[in-house]
Amino acid sequence: MAKSQFGVVGHHVARSYIGDVAIPAGVAVVAGASRSSVALPGSANQRALGVSALASANPNDPVTVIELGEVTAIADAAIARNQWVGINAITGQLAPINSNNLTGGEFEVVGLALEAATQQGDEFLLFVVPVRMLDNGSSPMFASLTLTGFLNESAGDGVVAHAGGGQGPATALVKELNRVATVATAGDSVVLPGSAAGLTIIVENHGANPMQVFGAGADTINDVAAATGVSQMQGSVVLYTCYTAGAWYAEGLGTGYSGQYPTVSSQDAIVAHAGGGQGSATALTSVINRITTVASAGDSVLLPAAQGGMQIAISNATATNSMNVFPNGADQINALGASAAFALAAGKTATFYAAKAGQWHAVLSA
């Protein structure tokens, strides 16, 4: 590719130096003999001050160095767009990290390629941001990074959750920020990217129904089995964080928004299990639960496992039959004993509180 001239392209931070040697335009430069002088690199993996904007003809000529911003640079090898580049210590030209002349150890990175260079000697657009990173060109790790403005992360809008749900065919989330716009039916599904320590993913459910969120492969979410996933309510924004590969933890599940008002997860038109019993009881998966079908007295629903700080509201919105609310496993409700049911009469609502694991306490409406 050819450009009419070298120099600054976008917003930048530039500084004027005195060149220790003649310096071509568009090459990386490093500190010279004194604080105010610059030179071409003399050995591998040096920290660049930045990239020269214009050529200098002789030693001691003034040199403008772009220390932060967009500038035209010269490639030492083919460079892909969005690839991190470092210094060829001999020429000062820019080479992609992980190329043959930049393998192993820590590297002094000059910046990020904003456009591709097809071959050695090509000019390309570079965002100059000199930092140090480990040998990981696809996912650079910085010792520290200070921003004086905003950080724009990758974002995807208009995501459609997979109709019918399930982990295998779930719609893959491929951005840092993901806005799911369509959840046609409760349980339609999305899947997080593969977990990695330090990774965070933000997911908004802007659809009309709760969606099921899965980890990739064997990845768990909140210690829930990978194939089960977790339900993220409509109108909610959830932060998924990973501290060790294989396990995601979510902040915000079960809470959401409606304008300026906070909301919690809810489900209507629940059918109590006909015939009752704990083993086959209809599992309750929301904070607020409205049961509208209790075909026979004693039909049943099942609370989640009690953990300290949880509360679940259940309404028997039918007109005739009492239903049984069972605890999970050997949990108990009030002093009824392990696994024993709490009878909730027609037209009544009960709120179940857990102050510790394994124990629910129920407050019954008038």
Side-chain angles (χ1 to χ4, degrees):
M1 72 182 67
K3 291 184 172 65
S4 59
Q5 62 180 13
F6 282 95
V8 179
V9 177
H11 295 293
H12 67 284
V13 175
R15 190 171 302 181
S16 181
Y17 292 90
I18 297 299
D20 291 349
V21 296
I23 296 177
V27 301
V29 293
V30 300
S34 66
R35 291 177 61 88
S36 61
S37 64
V38 297
L40 290 175
S43 61
N45 297 338
Q46 293 191 57
R47 183 178 293 278
L49 292 173
V51 174
S52 57
L54 300 172
S56 65
N58 302 294
N60 299 317
D61 281 350
V63 177
T64 299
V65 176
I66 309 303
E67 297 182 335
L68 178 68
E70 296 178 14
V71 67
T72 304
I74 302 175
D76 183 64
I79 297 173
R81 185 174 180 269
N82 291 331
Q83 192 165 24
W84 293 94
V85 294
I87 312 171
N88 179 315
I90 298 173
T91 65
Q93 295 176 1
L94 286 304
I97 296 300
N98 283 348
S99 64
N100 291 334
N101 61 332
L102 290 173
T103 56
E106 292 186 333
F107 297 115
E108 305 300 339
V109 174
V110 178
L112 181 72
L114 299 180
E115 62 185 14
T118 303
Q119 59 190 356
Q120 186 180 43
D122 278 356
E123 299 168 26
F124 69 103
L125 187 62
L126 174 74
F127 184 79
V128 179
V129 52
V131 291
R132 176 174 294 171
M133 79 176 196
L134 300 178
D135 181 11
N136 187 352
S138 62
S139 182
M141 291 179 283
F142 302 100
S144 62
L145 181 63
T146 300
L147 300 177
T148 58
F150 298 104
L151 173 63
N152 290 329
E153 300 173 284
S154 62
D157 197 359
V159 179
V160 178
H162 172 71
Q167 182 190 33
T171 301
L173 302 178
V174 296
K175 303 292 185 180
E176 179 74 14
L177 307 177
N178 304 270
R179 181 176 180 266
V180 181
T182 303
V183 184
T185 305
D188 289 356
S189 57
V190 298
V191 62
L192 298 172
S195 62
L199 187 60
T200 61
I201 301 294
I202 296 176
V203 182
E204 184 203 6
N205 181 356
H206 205 74
N209 298 290
M211 66 184 182
Q212 202 71 5
V213 181
F214 292 95
D219 289 352
T220 61
I221 303 176
N222 290 354
D223 302 322
V224 175
T228 302
V230 295
S231 179
Q232 181 175 335
M233 63 180 287
Q234 64 274 27
S236 67
V237 178
V238 176
L239 172 65
Y240 295 86
T241 59
C242 180
Y243 309 93
T244 301
W248 289 100
Y249 292 94
E251 170 61 32
L253 282 175
T255 61
Y257 60 86
S258 178
Q260 70 270 31
Y261 299 103
T263 61
V264 294
S265 61
S266 63
Q267 188 173 354
D268 191 19
I270 299 171
V271 178
H273 172 68
Q278 184 188 40
S280 300
T282 300
L284 303 177
T285 59
S286 298
V287 175
I288 298 175
N289 304 270
R290 184 172 182 264
I291 288 76
T292 56
T293 301
V294 182
S296 303
D299 289 354
S300 57
V301 296
L302 181 70
L303 289 165
Q307 297 293 333
M310 291 177 65
Q311 54 181 309
I312 303 292
I314 306 173
S315 294
N316 181 349
T318 65
T320 305
N321 293 318
S322 174
M323 69 180 189
N324 283 333
V325 179
F326 280 94
N328 198 289
D331 289 358
Q332 73 172 11
I333 302 170
N334 296 338
L336 296 174
S339 307
F342 176 93
L344 185 58
K348 297 290 187 178
T349 296
T351 302
F352 296 81
Y353 298 90
K356 67 175 184 177
Q359 177 70 62
W360 288 105
H361 294 280
V363 177
L364 186 63
S365 67

